[in-house]
């Protein structure tokens, strides 16, 4: 069983509208998106699936402590 990996900064992406699964375990080879590693490595963590309603820039939390997961709320600056 692998422990989740917590990054120091969000990943900013120009996102297209649609359903997304954002990695919350930190083990994905395709961050910030889930690639199934959370299951293969038995992290006990699941991705956050959400609908992006329009094309826009988003900041995806990598410290996994944001109050607005999967989006960054600046909490990483306080850790
Ligand atoms: S690979 Fe990290 S949550 Fe799925």
């Amino acid at each position: 069983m692998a422990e989740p990996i917590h990054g120091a900064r969000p990943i900013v992406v120009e996102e297209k509208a649609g359903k997304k699964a954002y990695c919350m375990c930190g083990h994905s080879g395709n961050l910030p998106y889930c690639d199934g590693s959370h299951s293969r490595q038995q992290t006990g963590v699941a991705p956050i699936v959400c609908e992006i309603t329009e094309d826009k820039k988003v900041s995806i939390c990598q410290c996994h402590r944001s109050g607005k997961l999967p989006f960054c709320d600046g909490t990483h600056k306080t850790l």
Side-chain angles (χ1 to χ4, degrees), residues 2-76:
E3 294 293 321
I5 297 170
H6 303 289
R9 295 189 199 97
I11 296 176
V12 179
V13 291
E14 292 285 346
E15 196 62 278
K16 297 287 185 190
K19 195 174 185 178
K20 312 294 176 183
Y22 293 114
C23 174
M24 290 294 124
C25 77
H27 289 275
S28 173
N30 189 31
L31 289 172
Y33 308 104
C34 173
D35 71 354
S37 293
H38 67 276
S39 181
R40 288 189 296 277
Q41 299 193 33
Q42 300 177 332
T43 61
V45 177
I48 292 180
V49 178
C50 64
E51 186 82 26
I52 302 294
T53 56
E54 60 184 326
D55 293 2
K56 62 181 176 181
K57 186 183 286 187
V58 294
S59 295
I60 306 302
C61 175
Q62 299 300 296
C63 73
H64 308 134
R65 291 174 175 85
S66 170
K68 296 182 177 179
L69 287 173
F71 306 107
C72 174
D73 71 353
T75 297
H76 65 279

